[in-house]
């Protein structure tokens, strides 16, 4: 028996093993707000999720122990990071507790009974999901969401909705759990699906891009005939997958073969943002967004098509685009002074790095861009993208690399060679360095930065708070 939606039903006890993950903590909060008893445990309890859980008065245990599952909870939600040997995993198996994954819980408690809008793809998921949630909310459509980030319009990574509304979810292709190796998005019952792009990623679970494409194809098999796929038509792998669906397909991009064609991207003068034209159905309409870069124009276009399909007018769409504040740590501006901006970004894949820096270059064509990068994920610390890494920084002027995060996870011969990347960049005439100490990186950047420069900090983790420290130093200097 699967857990049913428990609105207006008897309170249940959910225990979250690995509760400090973004999605896990978000779901825990949503269930607490429905009146359920929530407990959790984790080895790494730190902000912002620990702060959120504390504010919601959710009890969190340090570490994993069988005693945390006594008295027996109604459901145990086992986090994606847990594996065999974990004390709470072993106890759940031994005692035949009703355990399930985060993705199963999300499907059965929050997606089922709503119209599911799934945003998938290698890049752009968090921004596109957040924009879609904001757009539908602005259009006064009942909307809930779960996103792997913090949309600044909401200040939270999740929102509940009454049954019969829309639920917008970031559809991750990473596997579900140690006992379910299907992609998380396999569980999300998509009625409307956006595929932003498909590239090779997650080298720890996929051997090649064909395996990733197969995972997307399996998801398409679940879509109803009256569904809709909105796909990046400029990407061959995305197009190949999207054409295997069993419902209508709309393609978008810059290529003339798309149904929705983007053109005339123009940066706004003196402010962050661009205008662009979108041709669709024989009609061209201009839109404006408070973001920059071709990749964000693509993300916005996917949401425009999604909104139009659900009956939202172009006038309301434009209001939604203009009022969107972005996502925390997705090219987030941290400085207050207008002369030397510091941006914090989540980019880690070479394509995301390239597009992010290109976006900055489009907005500030004459500026010196200093990019600071930490390779942190299993894929980014590996040599799988070795030949792409130097090219990813082509639009930057100064590049500083931090040491690989937890490089002991891989054998030496499997690791990304940062010294080789630095050598390639130096040969291109760039100023590049590999510095293994955060304080030295900070002083290195502060010494070199001048008025009019752009600082971009990129990492999947906290990076020791480097971005915010640099922003404070720069603002202090300008003050």
């Amino acid at each position: 028996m699967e857990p049913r939606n428990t609105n207006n039903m008897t309170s249940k006890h959910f225990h979250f093993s690995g509760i400090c993950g973004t999605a896990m903590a978000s779901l825990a909060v949503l269930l607490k707000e429905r009146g359920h008893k929530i407990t959790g445990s984790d080895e790494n309890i730190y902000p912002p999720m620990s702060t959120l859980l504390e504010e919601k008065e959710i009890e969190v245990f340090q570490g994993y122990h069988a005693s945390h599952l006594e008295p027996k909870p109604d459901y145990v939600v086992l986090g994606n990071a847990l594996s065999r040997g974990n004390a709470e995993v072993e106890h759940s198996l031994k005692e035949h507790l009703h355990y399930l994954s985060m993705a199963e819980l999300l499907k059965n408690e929050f997606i089922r009974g709503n119209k599911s809008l799934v945003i998938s793809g290698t890049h752009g998921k968090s921004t596109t999901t957040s924009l879609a949630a904001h757009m539908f909310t602005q259009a006064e459509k009942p909307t809930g969401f779960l996103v792997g980030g913090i949309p600044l319009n909401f200040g939270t990574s999740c929102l509940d909705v009454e049954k019969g509304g829309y639920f917008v979810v970031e559809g991750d292709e990473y596997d579900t759990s140690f006992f379910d190796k299907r992609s998380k998005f396999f569980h999300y019952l998509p009625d409307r699906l956006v595929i932003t792009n498909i590239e090779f990623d997650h080298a720890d679970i996929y051997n090649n891009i064909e395996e990733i494409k197969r995972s997307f194809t399996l998801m398409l098999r679940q879509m109803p005939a009256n569904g809709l796929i909105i796909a990046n038509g400029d990407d061959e792998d995305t197009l190949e997958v999207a054409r295997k669906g069993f419902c209508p397909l709309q393609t978008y991009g810059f290529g003339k073969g798309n149904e929705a064609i983007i053109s005339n991207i123009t940066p706004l003068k003196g402010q962050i943002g661009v205008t662009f034209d979108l041709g669709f159905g024989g009609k061209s309409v201009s839109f404006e967004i408070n973001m920059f870069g071709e990749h964000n124009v693509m993300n916005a276009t996917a949401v425009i098509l999604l909104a139009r399909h659900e009956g939202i007018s172009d006038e309301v769409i434009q209001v939604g685009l203009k009022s969107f504040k972005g996502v925390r740590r997705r090219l987030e501006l941290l400085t207050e002074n207008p002369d030397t901006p510091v941006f914090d970004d989540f980019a880690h894949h070479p394509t995301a790095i390239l597009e992010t820096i290109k976006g900055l270059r489009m907005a500030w064509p004459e500026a010196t861009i200093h990019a600071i990068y930490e390779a942190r994920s299993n894929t980014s610390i590996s040599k799988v993208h070795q030949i792409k890494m130097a090219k990813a920084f082509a639009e930057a002027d100064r590049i500083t690399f931090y040491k690989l995060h937890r490089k002991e996870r891989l054998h030496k011969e499997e690791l990304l060679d940062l010294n080789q990347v630095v050598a390639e960049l130096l040969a291109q005439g760039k100023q590049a360095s590999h510095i293994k100490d955060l304080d030295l990186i900070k002083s290195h950047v502060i010494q070199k930065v001048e008025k009019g420069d752009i600082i971009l900090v990129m990492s999947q983790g906290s990076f020791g708070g480097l971005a915010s420290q640099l922003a404070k130093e720069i603002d202090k200097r300008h003050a």
Side-chain angles (χ1 to χ4, degrees), residues 233-364:
D234 290 346
D235 180 65
E236 290 184 8
D237 289 315
T238 299
L239 204 54
E240 178 189 338
V241 167
R243 284 173 172 162
K244 294 178 180 178
F246 297 86
C247 59
L249 166 66
Q250 290 182 3
T251 61
Y252 65 93
F254 297 90
K256 300 303 181 185
N258 292 298
E259 290 177 77
I261 301 173
I262 302 165
S263 61
N264 301 325
I265 299 178
T266 306
L268 297 175
K269 292 184 178 180
Q271 58 181 303
I272 294 174
V274 298
T275 61
F276 64 97
D277 294 336
L278 184 63
F280 185 82
K283 178 183 177 183
S284 182
V285 178
S286 294
F287 292 100
E288 181 180 321
I289 58 174
N290 296 331
M291 301 180 286
F292 41 62
E294 291 183 357
H295 62 302
N296 277 322
V297 171
M298 291 283 281
N299 294 337
T301 298
V303 175
I304 291 168
L305 295 180
L306 189 61
R308 282 176 166 178
H309 187 270
E310 298 306 308
I312 302 175
S313 70
D314 284 347
E315 291 74 21
V316 174
I317 288 172
Q318 183 59 82
V319 172
L321 294 175
K322 281 287 292 175
S323 57
F324 181 58
K325 297 177 181 178
V327 185
R328 190 172 299 166
R329 301 208 61 213
R330 268 52 172 197
L331 209 53
E332 182 182 4
L333 178 63
L334 301 184
T335 38
E336 296 178 0
N337 80 86
D339 298 321
T340 311
V342 175
F343 292 93
D344 188 17
D345 196 75
F346 201 70
H348 56 283
H349 188 285
T351 300
I353 295 168
L354 177 64
E355 292 300 323
T356 299
I357 301 175
K358 278 173 61 179
L360 290 173
R361 179 59 68 203
M362 179 185 292
W364 287 280

Side-chain angles (χ1 to χ4, degrees), residues 4-10 12 14 31 34 36 109:
R4 296 175 297 162
N5 182 277
T6 46
N7 273 330
N8 304 315
M9 297 178 65
T10 305
K12 300 293 185 181
F14 292 82
L31 287 169
R34 285 186 176 183
H36 296 292
E109 292 292 327

Side-chain angles (χ1 to χ4, degrees), residues 148-169:
I150 307 292
L152 297 175
N153 290 87
F154 297 99
T156 179
S157 59
C158 58
L159 192 68
D160 205 349
V161 64
E162 290 291 332
K163 289 302 177 188
Y166 290 90
F167 199 91
V168 190
V169 60

Side-chain angles (χ1 to χ4, degrees), residues 68-275:
H68 298 160
L69 301 176
E70 309 244 344
K72 182 173 74 173
D74 295 293
Y75 304 106
V76 181
V77 188
L78 297 176
N80 176 263
L82 274 57
S83 58
R84 291 301 302 265
N86 177 283
E88 295 182 20
V89 167
E90 297 302 324
H91 185 75
S92 297
L93 297 175
K94 178 184 174 184
E95 298 299 321
H96 293 179
L97 301 184
H98 191 149
Y99 64 87
L100 69 166
S101 67
M102 180 280 295
E104 289 176 275
L105 176 65
L106 179 62
K107 173 178 69 176
N108 289 301
E109 292 292 327
F110 298 97
I111 295 177
R112 197 181 294 280
N114 292 313
K115 186 171 286 186
S116 177
L117 312 181
V118 178
I119 312 299
S120 69
T122 309
H123 316 295
K125 292 188 294 293
S126 294
T127 298
T128 309
T129 305
S130 300
L131 177 56
H134 172 66
M135 182 75 71
F136 277 65
T137 302
Q138 282 287 108
E140 299 183 345
K141 292 183 178 291
T143 305
F145 66 86
L146 182 80
V147 61
I150 307 292
L152 297 175
N153 290 87
F154 297 99
T156 179
S157 59
C158 58
L159 192 68
D160 205 349
V161 64
E162 290 291 332
K163 289 302 177 188
Y166 290 90
F167 199 91
V168 190
V169 60
E170 179 174 336
D172 188 0
E173 69 271 25
Y174 205 80
D175 61 6
T176 298
S177 67
F178 77 90
F179 57 87
D180 183 354
K181 306 314 287 183
R182 295 171 297 179
S183 296
K184 292 194 192 87
F185 58 39
F186 185 85
H187 296 276
Y188 294 163
L189 309 175
D191 295 294
R192 311 286 182 259
L193 174 69
V194 170
I195 309 177
T196 61
N197 40 58
I198 299 177
E199 285 196 67
F200 182 67
D201 200 4
H202 309 305
D204 50 329
I205 61 170
Y206 292 110
N207 292 309
N208 51 56
I209 194 168
E210 294 304 319
E211 290 185 1
I212 296 176
K213 286 156 63 175
R214 173 169 171 74
S215 189
F216 276 84
T217 302
L218 287 174
M219 174 176 54
L220 295 184
R221 292 180 183 178
Q222 301 179 82
M223 292 191 68
N226 65 346
L228 176 69
I229 301 168
I230 298 172
N232 175 355
D234 290 346
D235 180 65
E236 290 184 8
D237 289 315
T238 299
L239 204 54
E240 178 189 338
V241 167
R243 284 173 172 162
K244 294 178 180 178
F246 297 86
C247 59
L249 166 66
Q250 290 182 3
T251 61
Y252 65 93
F254 297 90
K256 300 303 181 185
N258 292 298
E259 290 177 77
I261 301 173
I262 302 165
S263 61
N264 301 325
I265 299 178
T266 306
L268 297 175
K269 292 184 178 180
Q271 58 181 303
I272 294 174
V274 298
T275 61

